[in-house]
Amino acid sequence: MSARLLDGRDLAKEREGGLAERVNRLKSRGIVPRLVVLLGERAKEGVYFRAKERVGARVGIAVEGISVSDGEGLLKELNLLASDPAVSGIMVEAPLPPGIDPAAVRDLLPPEKDVDGGGIRSLGRLVAGAPSFPPATAAAVIALLDGYGIDPVGKDVVIIGRSLVVGRPLALLFLNRDATVTVCHSRTRDIRSKTLEADIVCVAAGSPGLLKGDMIRPGAVVVDVGTNPTPSGLVGDVDSGSVAEVAGWLSPVPGGVGPLTTVILMEHVATAAERMGG
Ligand code: NAD
């Protein structure tokens, strides 16, 4: 069997069209959605910030990077941004300079502007099923499956990785969609015995080649969230050669979850602006 491709690029383009229309409607009411990204000193040159700028430029959302150098300055900046009605969304892009914990900064974001959903209040709301912005990467995995008509209801899902930004929120999103979820991590004793039982396997571990073809059942859906830079380019957490022989569906890296993540983040910015604009 050769797995079919879960292509996130085409889906992202489609969503960008709808998003640009929403932004135009906001602008006709005098509202310009604006995302502020708090990041390390040189990160504005990095691929992740650049990707946000590019998508923002295409759909009409202003994207601004603010370099963070010291904790005290950051606190002042955060207070200003939180109360500024011209700022629709705020997010933190790790890594920050040594001594500033990105998770602690996320926890200070007001949930209505926490567009990447990583703060403790946003995550708590996600657990409770209250309105919140789910972390964009986790939401992108669900959007990718939805885009190909793969319904998680009643499915056995295994997630490898339990981070606050991907694995855990993804488990909650799958639970909300009535899947049965198992979360594996670096201390799980026998990952293969879990993945072999799964209808859907999502890997978000940051470990190239972690999931191999002999770890999945024939026809399984495999979503590769990993993005690992190597001298030969970006690779995921899936050994795509062997997994593609067995899986029914496989998301590529690059071109799977990544492009959708950026668009979904921007959708959250538009939603935040819509809510603030009444
Ligand atoms: P993290 O380091 O915070 O967490 C990794 C998790 O994987 C941990 O829970 C750890 O226990 C588990 N893990 C690591 N190695 C493992 C192994 N060998 N076996 C089992 N479990 C293992 O990482 P993160 O921030 O959650 O990111 C995970 C991956 O997803 C990275 O490659 C990251 O670059 C990528 N990522 C992609 C996007 C995107 O938009 N596509 C966004 C965020 C993160």
Side-chain angles (χ1 to χ4, degrees):
M1 176 181 267
S2 188
R4 282 166 289 178
L5 212 61
L6 292 166
D7 183 343
R9 286 190 176 125
D10 283 349
L11 288 175
K13 273 203 195 93
E14 274 171 37
R15 291 181 86 113
E16 270 187 29
L19 178 55
E21 282 171 23
R22 284 172 65 193
V23 173
N24 276 338
R25 280 197 291 277
L26 278 163
K27 287 186 171 167
S28 68
R29 292 164 52 204
I31 300 167
V32 181
R34 182 166 157 228
L35 170 68
V36 172
V37 185
L38 301 168
L39 32 65
E41 296 247 279
R42 279 190 301 277
K44 279 189 213 170
E45 310 306 319
V47 285
Y48 298 112
F49 182 71
R50 288 238 165 113
K52 292 178 190 87
E53 276 188 322
R54 266 201 312 275
V55 175
R58 287 203 292 266
V59 300
I61 291 180
V63 177
E64 186 189 337
I66 295 186
S67 300
V68 169
S69 51
D70 69 290
E72 205 177 307
L74 174 61
L75 262 185
K76 279 193 197 129
E77 190 72 61
L78 258 183
N79 284 333
L80 289 173
L81 295 170
S83 57
D84 184 347
V87 174
S88 329
I90 312 168
M91 71 169 290
V92 179
E93 197 177 285
L96 295 182
I100 308 180
D101 174 11
V105 181
R106 286 189 194 105
D107 289 350
L108 298 172
L109 301 178
E112 62 277 12
K113 292 192 181 186
D114 182 10
V115 285
D116 201 24
I120 199 159
R121 284 176 286 172
S122 300
L123 290 168
R125 282 164 171 261
L126 189 60
V127 172
S132 70
F133 293 113
T137 306
V141 173
I142 303 290
L144 188 60
L145 297 178
D146 282 345
Y148 283 87
I150 298 165
D151 187 354
V153 64
K155 300 270 169 39
D156 290 325
V157 175
V158 168
I159 298 167
I160 306 178
R162 59 174 165 185
S163 76
L164 275 182
V165 285
V166 191
R168 283 176 208 227
L170 183 56
L172 289 165
L173 292 178
F174 272 120
L175 271 181
N176 289 347
R177 294 290 296 271
D178 297 321
T180 303
V181 187
T182 303
V183 180
C184 299
H185 47 80
S186 49
R187 305 294 293 272
T188 300
R189 262 184 296 153
D190 182 3
I191 290 182
R192 184 169 178 267
S193 68
K194 316 279 189 287
T195 52
L196 269 177
E197 296 290 315
D199 303 302
I200 300 173
V201 181
C202 302
V203 199
S207 177
L210 173 60
L211 188 79
K212 299 197 167 37
D214 66 358
M215 295 169 72
I216 58 166
R217 64 154 75 148
V221 177
V222 176
V223 181
D224 190 352
V225 187
T227 48
N228 309 293
T230 71
S232 51
L234 207 63
V235 302
D237 289 346
V238 168
D239 177 33
S240 52
S242 65
V243 167
E245 293 292 308
V246 187
W249 292 92
L250 172 62
S251 72
V253 176
V257 175
L260 271 175
T261 299
T262 314
V263 178
I264 285 175
L265 176 75
M266 294 300 168
E267 288 176 355
H268 292 174
V269 177
T271 303
E274 284 161 357
R275 288 180 185 156
M276 282 168 68

